[in-house]
Amino acid sequence: MPHITNVMICTCTNCISNGALDIRDSLDAQIKRQGLQDDVLVVPTGASGLCVNGPILIVQPEGIFYQKLKGKDIPNLVEEHFLKGRPVKSLMYVPPGEESPIPELRSIPFFKDQRLIALRNRGLIDPDKIDEYIARDGYKALAKAVTSMTQEEVIKEISDSGLRGRGGAGFPTGRKWDSRRKDPRTPKYVVCNADEGDPGAFMDRSIVEADPHSVIEGMAIGAYAVGASSGYMYLRMEYPLAVKRIQLAIEQAREYGLLGKDIFGSGFDFDLQVFKGAGAFVCGETTALVASIEGKIPEPRQRPPRTTLWDKPVVINNVETWANVPVILNWGAKWFAEIGTEKSKGTKVFSLAGNINNAGLVEVPMGITLRDIVYNIGGGIPKGKEFKAVQTGGPSGGFLPASLLDLSVDYEQLDEAGSMMGSGGMVVMDENVCMVEMARYFVAFTNDESCGKCTSCREGSLALLEILSRMCNGEGKPGDIELLEELGEAIRDASQCGLGQSLPNPVLSSLEHFRDEYKAHIDEKRCPAGLCKALITFNISEEKCIGCRLCAKKCPQEAISGEAKELHTIDQDKCIKCGVCLDACKSEAVLVA
Amino acid sequence: MSKIKPEDLDKIGEKIKRTMLLREGSCRVKIIVHMGTCGIAAGARNVMKALMDEIEKAESKDILLTISSCAGLCSSEPMITIEEKDKPAVKYVELTAEKAKAIFAGHVLGGKIVNEYALAAGSERTL
Ligand SMILES: Cc1cc2nc3c(=O)[nH]c(=O)nc-3n(C[C@H](O)[C@H](O)[C@H](O)COP(=O)(O)O)c2cc1C
């Protein structure tokens, strides 16, 4: 007899760091204590999406969503909900700005407006159990491909679906496979690119952690289609949980004969191994990635005309691309091609981060607007602040302003607007973010991660960084804006790989949409967002100060003087502009200018 | 484990199908046992165990058994509510394990309301 309640506990890396494993242990203990072990099963799963609110439980079959759990909540939760059937309201999700909680996951706007293909099994299966993947139609697509379809038919299906690479460039997957299939050299390889070096992005890690078999099955299908018999899962070392789960999944697939020789008795052989990368951003670039596997210095290379691994044909696709493949074969190209826009089909997974209420992992149909993602799914900007910009596409994506919120999220539109799809980072910025400082931050990242091979990228990013840093320090000069633009274009044109070609994006797009902010930094030595320390001063308003001494007590520099109930003042020589007084004041009396 | 064949996939899936359906929250019939303090005191757990056994015996994969709190009619506990797609929900009152079995056979499997034990049609939400 199966249990009557399944408690799905998210055990992704985020939730584990928030204490999910202790919660799981406590759940097990309390369930035992109440004698409910035959009724209630606790199932560890991969990321549920809203993991900033972790640890998270989803109780099935009702679909009740619990969040921000603490160990002390568990005895009461188990007794009330699992023994007495009374879900506990105080542990449910409350939408921003509202008071009453939403009990059911499917009614929470964050989940309701998503469409899950790559993340189809999230929160539904235990990633360490291959049978659960199989019960959700797992490995059926592989069986179908190898027993009843030719290589050409598989490729045609993928081509017809319109699937494009989810790792950055958006290259049509079917076309890539076809060219490798036609290459007469053997052996051939398939590689899964799970390098995922974008700061703050965790889409690919989540897929591997939540549903490793979806990637393995996709790769096996791709291997069959092109005629490859071995594959590499290229994962960065910093993802130990993902490495562990994929390794276990590979072993289980081998035991069932889903990897290895003569799969499904079809004569098709395929096996897979994990390659742990050292975690450089540039290793995500295909030619650098294969160099890394070959044991060479991971620098991007010229690729006339195609990337090879040990001089043999190789198909490299992103994690999410691979995870889409089985679904397309199961449901058909036509079904898939009906989702999305004319040229961008299917869905895309984004990690939504920054100044947003519901930070987390979302999968949305292509063609959804930025506004829908930010406001409906993301729940808007915290503390009622104004939206200022959203960056799509990772560290070298552009900044898009409020006027572009109705932009359709697809490859073409994002490119045209000066940003990109990238691998799916999405960072939301509110009114208090300084665009010059933000551009500086991302250029500092790409400068750090540049492999150094191309002068334009290595020295160009450094030059950009120096100018931007000067501006933030109040040392911007007339002509700097033009210099940034000229440099940016030169770097874009002269660099060999995507890192250099796209690193000027944050600068160029913010210059286009937020030029006034750059001008204020240079001409008026002013930071409109009130962030660049060299350009701001903190003062206390005569009218608003009530003399409560709260700020004075908190100031780490003891820079604030004034008796109780009298006006306080800040000694500008001592002030380090840390902003502690601003946060401490309850009367909005601290002014930043 | 020997190598699996395409048709084995379904067999593996079948074995845990009910668990997966439960997680997806999809079913033909949903049986809700009311497990308030009143219900538990009156023997709701026995009713639930009896239903669990029946589901097991029937090997049916489209029936969900779940629990909810007191239905408000404490004097008539143990109670269950049966929900079917596109039909009004039916509440059964003052149950025993035996009555629950009869309701399972008649209503859940047979599709006919067992009037003898039924209170009335209509349901509140599980929450
Ligand atoms: C600097 C740089 C970093 C990249 N990092 C990744 C990465 O982490 N993951 C990824 O899938 N693709 C990354 N790419 C894109 C890959 O070069 C390649 O386009 C992609 O893996 C192909 O798979 P797809 O067609 O499925 O997207 C990166 C590209 C560049 C230029």
Side-chain angles (χ1 to χ4, degrees), chain A residues 165-167 176 193 196-197 281 284-286 316-318 321 498-499:
Chain A
R166 301 298 194 234
K176 186 187 285 184
N193 186 347
E196 195 165 54
F281 178 61
E285 196 276 337
T286 48
I316 301 176
N317 277 126
N318 168 261
T321 315
L499 198 159

Side-chain angles (χ1 to χ4, degrees), chain A residues 6 39 132 136 261, chain B residues 3 18 23-24 45 56:
Chain A
N6 275 204
D39 300 358
E132 298 195 355
R136 302 250 318 143
K261 296 244 173 277
Chain B
K3 274 204 215 170
R18 218 150 63 200
R23 291 186 197 163
E24 291 156 23
R45 290 201 68 81
E56 186 66 24

Side-chain angles (χ1 to χ4, degrees), chain A residues 302-516:
Chain A
Q302 289 286 5
R303 44 175 159 179
R306 274 180 216 122
T307 310
T308 55
L309 178 59
W310 290 302
D311 295 322
K312 303 292 181 189
V314 58
V315 171
I316 301 176
N317 277 126
N318 168 261
V319 174
E320 191 186 332
T321 315
W322 288 122
N324 270 292
V325 167
V327 186
I328 294 172
L329 288 203
N330 278 334
W331 289 72
K334 190 165 167 287
W335 168 84
F336 190 83
E338 272 163 17
I339 306 165
T341 65
E342 196 197 328
K343 289 189 178 154
S344 302
K345 300 299 188 188
T347 56
K348 179 79 195 84
V349 181
F350 290 99
S351 1
L352 197 53
N355 305 123
I356 185 99
N357 276 314
N358 299 333
L361 203 66
V362 306
E363 181 169 357
V364 290
M366 299 272 190
I368 190 172
T369 63
L370 286 167
R371 186 185 303 281
D372 275 339
I373 298 181
V374 172
Y375 287 95
N376 291 352
I377 295 175
I381 317 296
K383 300 186 190 136
K385 289 190 185 167
E386 286 287 316
F387 168 93
K388 186 165 187 176
V390 57
Q391 183 197 33
T392 68
S396 39
F399 300 165
L400 306 174
S403 59
L404 292 176
L405 269 174
D406 289 311
L407 196 75
S408 146
V409 174
D410 61 52
Y411 293 100
E412 282 72 28
Q413 298 267 326
L414 287 173
D415 265 356
E416 234 166 75
S419 189
M420 57 186 184
M421 185 72 85
S423 58
M426 195 172 275
V427 183
V428 180
M429 304 167 206
D430 72 17
E431 56 188 300
N432 295 127
V433 173
C434 169
M435 290 296 120
V436 184
E437 160 57 27
M438 214 57 197
R440 193 200 63 78
Y441 172 85
F442 285 111
V443 171
F445 175 84
T446 37
N447 169 255
D448 203 33
E449 294 288 345
S450 167
C451 78
K453 188 175 180 186
C454 306
T455 316
S456 55
C457 174
R458 182 185 71 236
E459 300 300 327
S461 59
L462 190 62
L464 287 179
L465 183 59
E466 279 169 2
I467 300 170
L468 292 165
S469 302
R470 262 202 293 109
M471 286 183 177
C472 293
N473 281 329
E475 294 154 16
K477 294 185 297 223
D480 275 350
I481 290 183
E482 293 71 19
L483 191 54
L484 284 176
E485 279 173 337
E486 197 180 329
L487 257 170
E489 277 156 31
I491 297 169
R492 196 163 61 186
D493 295 343
S495 301
Q496 192 187 339
C497 87
L499 198 159
Q501 286 159 10
S502 60
L503 80 84
N505 277 341
V507 184
L508 297 177
S509 64
S510 55
L511 274 171
E512 182 182 344
H513 300 299
F514 301 95
R515 205 178 189 87
D516 287 349

